[in-house]
Amino acid sequence: MKILVTGSAGFIAGYLIEELLQHGHEVVGIDNFSKYGKVSKSYDQHPHYHFVEGDAKDVNLLKDLIAECDQVVAGAAMIGGISLFHEYAYDLLAENERIIASTFDAAIWAFKTQKLQKINVISSSMVFESTNVFPSPEGEQLKCPPPLSTYGFQKLACEYFAQGAWEQYKLPYTIIRPFNCIGTGEKRALCDKEISSGNIKLAMSHVVPDLVQKILKGQDPVYILGAGNQIRHYTYGGDLAKGIRICIESEKAINEDFNLSTSVSTTVLELAELIWQKIKGDKPFNYISEQPFKYDVQKRIPSVEKAKNILGFAATTSLSESLDEIIPWIQEQIEIGGI
């Protein structure tokens, strides 16, 4: 298939586009480099990859790009770590609403007049922000209270865009919810503000790169947000890319929603200790709890049964294996000033 990927210079997209190209698809990418600035990817010169620098809010540009495509992956978004939820509460709502509306406008047009078959919406585990049902199954986002953060609320709105476009225009969709993607390529965002965490200044993004940086830079004891008992499912980007590709390819995914995640729960404290052991070996691990952020969800535990039963998908890369790839990459980024 020929597939348009919006937000193609992003973190998850880096894994996804490589996965799609390896499986014979042709990919058109669009990104305005607003998050990281201009970045190069391993597949930039691939004969089946076509990149256009542009803004996903430009409906006419999207129409030009989507006209010959079979599917679109709506991945463009203003996104970042937990600090962004607090620093850019309005922008996360308004900017992402404009992006998703433009993407759906172009997709509906292409479905009605061209050859587009389906839109794939990259949603978020944050739609379950207010749930108390664990593991959280698909459908729980419609039963629990709405997300408290503007980011989570807007991601839920993206899912309603898919519902509305189907109900009014019969545009087929798949809603895809990645859980805590980890991997290489997650650099310092241009909009990140530097803050102090103990004796280390960081551009707070996501917990894995932040903890790795602190430990590599010699912080001891390690500063952790809150008590460290927050539960996450750290899912390797390559596994997520495979799951998203299957969602794109499988007819069983049409008009369905899927949690894509590892089945393994890990606390932030367990994560910090594992990173410490990989970097410091047998040296004793110590930590200090910092004041947590307001929107720091304590439990994020997905049900992964639907993706397994319908798509045959399971994330297989362990957190330990992922860290063996991530830690050296972050070390290199620290040395060249990229993170």
Side-chain angles (χ1 to χ4, degrees):
M1 286 183 283
K2 189 172 184 179
I3 301 163
L4 173 63
V5 177
T6 68
S8 60
F11 178 37
I12 294 179
Y15 284 96
L16 173 61
I17 292 171
E18 187 172 9
E19 174 81 9
L20 292 174
L21 293 172
Q22 287 177 352
H23 284 80
H25 298 292
E26 185 175 357
V27 179
V28 178
I30 178 173
D31 204 292
N32 63 358
F33 296 123
S34 62
K35 184 171 184 181
Y36 298 126
K38 293 202 173 183
V39 293
S40 59
K41 299 287 188 179
S42 61
Y43 45 76
D44 282 343
Q45 304 307 314
H46 194 287
H48 292 151
Y49 180 61
H50 317 283
F51 175 75
V52 174
E53 183 176 352
D55 196 326
K57 299 191 298 294
D58 186 338
V59 178
N60 290 329
L61 175 57
L62 285 186
K63 285 182 177 180
D64 288 342
L65 299 180
I66 207 172
E68 296 300 317
C69 290
D70 301 292
Q71 293 201 36
V72 58
V73 177
M78 183 179 182
I79 187 174
I82 190 170
S83 59
L84 259 72
F85 296 175
H86 303 77
E87 294 285 349
Y88 299 101
Y90 175 79
D91 290 349
L92 284 167
L93 187 65
E95 183 75 356
N96 287 340
E97 202 77 355
R98 296 182 191 107
I99 292 170
I100 199 68
S102 297
T103 307
F104 267 92
D105 284 350
I108 290 166
W109 169 83
F111 177 69
K112 289 165 60 179
T113 68
Q114 306 297 311
K115 56 184 286 192
L116 192 76
Q117 300 168 16
K118 190 179 71 163
I119 186 169
N120 302 276
V121 178
I122 305 299
S123 183
S124 170
S125 60
M126 285 295 287
V127 301
F128 299 118
E129 183 180 352
S130 298
T131 188
N132 58 9
V133 174
F134 304 105
S136 308
E138 292 86 346
E140 171 60 19
Q141 77 282 358
L142 303 176
K143 301 174 184 176
C144 66
L148 297 176
S149 67
T150 56
Y151 176 77
F153 185 85
Q154 199 283 322
K155 279 300 183 182
L156 183 60
C158 291
E159 301 190 7
Y160 276 90
F161 268 85
Q163 176 184 324
W166 166 253
E167 289 179 356
Q168 186 171 350
Y169 297 105
K170 297 305 175 191
L171 172 65
Y173 66 85
T174 302
I175 293 167
I176 300 162
R177 301 189 195 96
F179 276 71
N180 291 98
C181 180
I182 58 172
T184 61
E186 192 176 18
K187 302 175 69 174
R188 177 191 295 260
L190 298 178
C191 64
D192 275 347
K193 292 185 178 180
E194 202 169 64
I195 66 172
S196 293
S197 179
N199 63 331
I200 301 291
K201 286 188 178 292
L202 292 171
M204 294 297 288
S205 55
H206 291 89
V207 64
V208 170
D210 288 344
L211 286 171
V212 172
Q213 283 187 80
K214 289 176 182 179
I215 296 169
L216 283 173
K217 292 177 179 179
Q219 189 177 81
D220 184 9
V222 179
Y223 281 70
I224 292 176
L225 291 174
N229 55 8
Q230 307 96 313
I231 297 174
R232 299 289 184 268
H233 281 225
Y234 299 104
T235 310
Y236 178 58
D239 287 342
L240 286 174
K242 178 182 177 181
I244 296 170
R245 174 183 59 80
I246 294 171
C247 285
I248 292 169
E249 294 174 343
S250 176
E251 290 190 1
K252 295 178 181 178
I254 293 174
N255 293 359
E256 294 285 356
D257 61 330
F258 295 98
N259 299 334
L260 298 186
S261 174
T262 176
S263 61
V264 180
S265 293
T266 305
T267 67
V268 170
L269 195 54
E270 289 170 339
L271 170 67
E273 289 190 79
L274 180 57
I275 295 171
W276 179 271
Q277 291 164 4
K278 287 184 174 292
I279 296 172
K280 298 293 187 179
D282 294 333
K283 186 177 180 181
F285 169 77
N286 297 292
Y287 72 98
I288 292 175
S289 292
E290 288 190 285
Q291 183 70 26
F293 282 106
K294 180 180 177 181
Y295 299 119
D296 193 2
V297 179
Q298 293 305 296
K299 285 185 180 180
R300 191 175 294 160
I301 305 172
S303 170
V304 297
E305 293 305 307
K306 184 176 179 181
K308 182 179 180 180
N309 293 336
I310 295 179
L311 303 176
F313 168 76
T316 57
T317 307
S318 70
L319 175 57
S320 180
E321 291 174 294
S322 300
L323 290 173
D324 288 340
E325 178 182 315
I326 295 166
I327 292 171
W329 183 84
I330 292 179
Q331 175 77 69
E332 179 186 4
Q333 289 298 312
I334 291 172
E335 292 169 0
I336 66 175
I339 197 165

